[in-house]
Amino acid sequence: MSKLVAAALQMRSGTEPEANADAFEALVRDAAGQGAQYVQSPEMTGVLVRSREDLASRIAGARGALVTDRAQSLARELSIYVHLGSTAVALDNGRVANRAFLFGPQGQLITTYDKLHMFDVDLDNGESWRESATYAPGERAVVADLPFGRLGFAICYDLRFPQLFRALARAEAQVLTAPAAFTRQTGEAHWHVLVRSRAIENGAFMVSAAQGGLHEDGRETYGHSLIVDPWGRILAEVNGDAPGIAIAELELDQVAAARAKIPNLKNARDFSVARVSGSASHERKAS
């Protein structure tokens, strides 16, 4: 399969898993009805809640598995690939994983990916985030071999670590992903630039579903879900922060063409970094 119809679902997930699963299902069905063969949802599709205690209560037991079960059944029923961009998963050690799931057209679980990089930041508007206080970082990058090509996984803050995307591209990923819940402040400044840059520098498609709008827990996310081609062109976008769908046909042959035109993956070289001093005390006096 050299062509793939991909959809990025833009959501405004809240604090109740049941409502989020219903909103997710409606968008998946809409995207499949438009011909999507691969559907991706944003980071934290299942629940978006700031309080650690509230999060724990909402991901315990059957409520925590609600959106993953829904994704699996939709993939099977609609015979499509459903990429649950991420949801919070309780771990045995009391921590939480920010985990992506990919289900295939028979409902089979193909792979999972845990977000590698934790969003520990202090922003100018007073926003402060410490994901590492709740979430355990992942330890492996993932590339899935699929009938339409190779799919590389990332989540949100991972987008700021180009070495991850370069590793995925070197593992022959043709479609790179970064489902996200970017804050409005960082999204307005960097979202489009980062998504397009990861596509350009790796000669790959980027599919990035996003959360958007004012959420029940008080946070505000940027939206603007994107699908970008290997030349950096935006193929589809949900303009603004309202729920919606970005959908586009990906011609996978464009990946090889882009990498042939600018073979930076092949031309990359290992190098050392020399740190030198420019202070007068280290200068050699002329004789």
Side-chain angles (χ1 to χ4, degrees), residues 28 118 126 199 215 219 253:
V28 171
M118 298 293 96
H215 299 264
R219 83 182 72 194
D253 291 344

Side-chain angles (χ1 to χ4, degrees), residues 2-7 35-37 205 227-230 235-236 246-252 254:
S2 60
K3 294 184 179 181
L4 173 73
V5 179
Q37 301 156 294
F205 287 95
I227 300 177
V228 179
D229 78 3
L235 300 180
I247 189 166
E249 184 176 76
L250 314 187
E251 296 185 13
L252 276 298
Q254 290 182 12

Side-chain angles (χ1 to χ4, degrees), residues 50-147:
R50 187 184 293 257
S51 164
R52 183 174 181 173
E53 292 73 22
D54 288 347
L55 176 65
S57 69
R58 284 167 168 79
I59 64 174
R63 293 184 80 199
L66 184 60
V67 75
T68 53
D69 289 347
R70 195 77 62 92
Q72 185 170 32
S73 64
L74 285 166
R76 181 186 300 113
E77 177 191 342
L78 301 171
S79 297
I80 61 173
Y81 291 89
V82 175
H83 177 181
L84 186 63
S86 89
T87 194
V89 176
L91 302 176
D92 293 338
N93 60 5
R95 303 291 296 284
V96 178
N98 187 343
R99 182 169 294 170
F101 293 80
L102 179 66
F103 296 102
Q106 286 77 48
Q108 74 276 25
L109 175 61
I110 295 173
T111 192
T112 64
Y113 165 75
D114 289 357
K115 185 177 181 179
L116 282 169
H117 301 97
M118 298 293 96
F119 190 54
D120 291 356
V121 302
D122 299 296
L123 302 177
D124 290 341
N125 64 355
E127 283 187 80
S128 183
W129 299 93
R130 292 293 181 272
E131 282 189 343
S132 61
T134 301
Y135 294 93
E139 297 181 348
R140 60 170 192 151
V142 177
V143 173
D145 289 331
L146 303 172

Side-chain angles (χ1 to χ4, degrees), residues 193-211:
V193 173
L194 287 170
V195 174
R196 294 182 68 198
S197 294
R198 297 297 87 86
I200 293 166
E201 65 200 11
N202 294 296
F205 287 95
M206 278 288 298
V207 182
S208 295
Q211 296 280 357

Side-chain angles (χ1 to χ4, degrees), residues 180-236:
F182 255 57
T183 68
R184 176 166 295 281
Q185 182 181 175
T186 58
E188 287 175 345
H190 301 146
W191 174 248
H192 288 82
V193 173
L194 287 170
V195 174
R196 294 182 68 198
S197 294
R198 297 297 87 86
I200 293 166
E201 65 200 11
N202 294 296
F205 287 95
M206 278 288 298
V207 182
S208 295
Q211 296 280 357
L214 182 61
H215 299 264
E216 290 175 327
D217 73 346
R219 83 182 72 194
E220 193 171 6
T221 53
Y222 182 59
H224 291 270
S225 298
L226 291 172
I227 300 177
V228 179
D229 78 3
W231 208 244
R233 294 171 291 219
I234 296 174
L235 300 180

